[in-house]
Amino acid sequence: MGSTVNSKWLPVTSTITVALALLSASTAAISLYFCRKKARVLYSKIQELEISLNSCMQKSAAERQGRIRAQQDLRKALAQPKSENLEQASYPMTPIGVVQSCFSTRNGTPRQPLLVPLARACLIFDSARVPPASLEGLVEYSHCWIIYVFHLNTDLVKLWKHPSRSKFKAKVRVPRLKGGRMGVFATRSPHRPCPIGLTVAKVEAVQGNMVLLSGVDLVDGTPILDIKPYLPYCDSIQGAAVPEWVMVDNMLAVASVNFSEGFSSSLSDCWETAKKKSLYASPDELQCLIKQVLSWDIRSISQRNQPHDPLIKTGNGEAQHSALDSNQNQDQEASDNENSQVCHPSGDVTYHLILEGMDVSYRIDFNGNVIVENVVVSSDIPNGNQNRSSFLMWRDELS
């Protein structure tokens, strides 16, 4: 009986097994079909991407070759400018920053760097051209080179003229030679065919897009073209030779610097107005700066060579001050340090130094002694001295 029942269900079981096998095969075939279809689509996309990548690479290579050729053509054109079109033969150089300095005017700005260690300035970079990341690592150097523009030269207009009409002077008057002339490229005169200056300064601090410097010889508002770290192993040359006249330091040094009895009191009064904008933390520190600046004779050659008493007689018997020869002033090295002057009752000439927005009056007697007489807040201060809030927080650290 049992075997009869099993025999009855055997065909049904076989049919179901075959059906399941056919269903599995169909499913596998359908899956294989869709996989192959998807693979064809992906392969087509890969081909499209490869074609696009090759096209981009070819375009990039063509652009690179075009830039190289353009740069080569530009260098060739600049190396061989046409004489009739010299104005356009220039490199694309734009100042990347500006200096805010303790020296309000050209008068009193040192002729060389590091002569006045207390002379401070803040170099503020144009954030659009110089990201703060560009200054990373600079603070690890003690000093840096600064390349700048002599923007206050009185004869800049000559440089835009053709060389035949510029009347550029090949020789300049040198203070250390008592006004003797020397080839401009044997001096550091600011009056050059290209009014570019090079100086070195101590790096005190770096913050954001600003660098605080000391020992500077830069006037307020000086445009900066570039800075580079000072490297003693290659920038300091052992056994380097210079002419003897360069080493005559006593030519520019004064005998002494003395302050009048009421000077400290006058400076304290001025300090109440100046301290909000000053790079210095106290009137005592500012008085030390004044002494360092005036320890060197900052007068022009013509001022040192003129008679001690500038009063002269005119044809009608009236006395008047002798005028400086402005043409001569433009010939000398550092002629931009011209001082204003008046006659003192003692016969000495009273000069004026604008420093940190204050007008310092002083005299130099026959023996080369400087007498600093008075100080008042100056009403004629360049705009660059009006906004120093960004780096005043550093001054206490440097005091």
Side-chain angles (χ1 to χ4, degrees), residues 46 62 89 108 115 132 160 191 220 224 248 271 283 326 347 354 382:
I46 291 174
L115 291 180
W160 298 102
H191 300 283
D220 192 76
I224 301 302
V248 186
W271 179 252
S326 59
I354 308 298

Side-chain angles (χ1 to χ4, degrees), residues 382-396:
N383 293 330
N385 279 345
Q386 303 298 324
N387 183 16
R388 294 179 172 178
S389 58
S390 301
F391 52 88
L392 292 182
M393 55 187 172
W394 293 337
R395 67 183 180 186
D396 294 333

Side-chain angles (χ1 to χ4, degrees), residues 367-382:
N367 298 317
N369 298 298
V370 175
I371 302 94
V372 186
E373 295 182 320
N374 193 26
V375 58
V376 296
V377 176
S378 175
S379 59
D380 184 16
I381 307 174

